[in-house]
Amino acid sequence: MTASTLTSDNGASSGTSGIKYNGGTDGTLQLQTTTSGGTATTAVTIDNSQNATFAGTVTATNHIGPGTGLTGTAASLTAGNATNVTGTVGVANGGTGLTSTPANGALDIGNGTGFTRTTLTAGTGISITNGSGSISIAASSTGLPGILGQAFTSNGTFTIPTGVTALKVSVTGGGGGGGAAVGAGGGAGATAISYLTGLTAGNTLSVTVGGAGAGSAGSSGSGSGGGTSSVASGTQTITTISAGGGSGGGGSAGQGGAGGTASGGTINIGGGGGGGSNSTDNFGGVGGNSFFGGGGPSLSSASASPAKGYGGGGAGNGSNAAAGAGYQGIVIFEW
């Protein structure tokens, strides 16, 4: 193609309409329109830095290139053009590839190949409220998991707290009492630990706490056994969690009381057995230790030692005086 020179008036002379150019001394080129009256209006100005300024509207069927360098007011760039954009903009072109109208609180979340438009899912102890243009996240429970709890030292009813759907339950039976007259120690109560899930807040569970076994009052008698502790269904249905009490220690060089047995727990722990007595030195047997320890120590004095901790067995006495009592059971809920 042979280059041609654009004349100052390209088909436009004085008194007629057309297009003319005006070349400035600084290298600026102006393309002007003229009316039949000879009035010239600049339509396009190209400066010596290759920047083009358009006085009117620019209409393009297609645009090829990165789009950098396109400037102007938001109104001039967008007004009237939204209706000309059709189809879905894919991920490769900077879009989402989605066509659905977002629900309240919906987010576009990457899925490895594109986006999924969905709302957040609340976890345990968390509530989510989706609004128009807003997402509110709050803690629905009254504390952090594993921080709160309730202990029962007597029979009662446990109500599942608001926002709680899982519990750790520890159940310990009562300790047995010791025997007299160089008697043996009482056995400790068992412990069952259970992790409950799928619970409904506001429902209830029935709690039974096993009592302490009494020590023998003297004259070679055996101690009494401790009571069974348990957690059973109330309005919330569960498998019963049970921890048996320890047996009482035998009197007059009898055998130590057996530890209790547990059932229904995720973990079932038997109570420690009571110790036998020493007739040579007139020492009574020690009380068995529970999950919490606390078995009564062996003594030869007139007063035997009772158990010191929940579920512990009482010590036997080295004389004809009263033997030590066991310690009551306990039930603990944690969430």
Side-chain angles (χ1 to χ4, degrees):
M1 175 182 291
T2 303
S4 59
T5 301
L6 180 65
T7 61
S8 177
D9 290 290
N10 186 10
S13 57
S14 179
T16 63
S17 61
I19 299 175
K20 62 184 295 185
Y21 81 91
N22 178 22
T25 57
D26 61 353
T28 300
L29 173 65
Q30 294 179 336
L31 299 181
Q32 300 177 328
T33 59
T34 59
T35 63
S36 58
T39 301
T41 302
T42 300
V44 181
T45 300
I46 303 175
D47 62 22
N48 57 9
S49 297
Q50 301 178 355
N51 297 313
T53 302
F54 296 82
T57 301
V58 178
T59 301
T61 304
N62 293 293
H63 168 72
I64 300 175
T68 57
L70 296 177
T71 61
T73 65
S76 64
L77 291 174
T78 62
N81 291 313
T83 57
N84 296 323
V85 179
T86 59
T88 303
V89 181
V91 175
N93 295 319
T96 64
L98 303 176
T99 59
S100 62
T101 300
N104 286 348
L107 300 173
D108 295 340
I109 302 175
N111 56 30
T113 58
F115 292 92
T116 298
R117 184 162 289 165
T118 186
T119 55
L120 298 177
T121 300
T124 301
I126 300 295
S127 66
I128 296 178
T129 303
N130 295 313
S132 177
S134 67
I135 303 173
S136 298
I137 302 175
S140 57
S141 63
T142 56
L144 297 176
I147 296 298
L148 300 181
Q150 183 176 352
F152 285 78
T153 55
S154 60
N155 299 344
T157 299
F158 175 77
T159 301
I160 300 171
T162 301
V164 173
T165 60
L167 292 168
K168 176 186 176 184
V169 184
S170 300
V171 181
T172 297
V182 194
T191 296
I193 300 173
S194 185
Y195 298 90
L196 303 178
T197 59
L199 306 178
T200 300
N203 281 355
T204 61
L205 295 170
S206 178
V207 178
T208 300
V209 176
S216 173
S219 301
S220 73
S222 298
S224 301
T228 297
S229 298
S230 66
V231 174
S233 299
T235 57
Q236 178 71 56
T237 301
I238 64 167
T239 298
T240 299
I241 309 162
S242 180
S247 300
S252 297
Q255 292 184 340
T261 59
S263 64
T266 308
I267 304 171
N268 298 307
I269 305 168
S277 60
N278 184 338
S279 58
T280 301
D281 297 321
N282 292 329
F283 271 85
V286 296
N289 285 321
S290 73
F291 179 75
F292 296 97
S298 174
L299 296 173
S300 63
S301 63
S303 297
S305 177
K308 305 299 184 182
Y310 290 106
N317 200 308
S319 67
N320 289 326
Y327 209 98
Q328 70 169 72
I330 190 170
V331 173
I332 303 172
F333 294 90
E334 298 175 80
W335 63 91

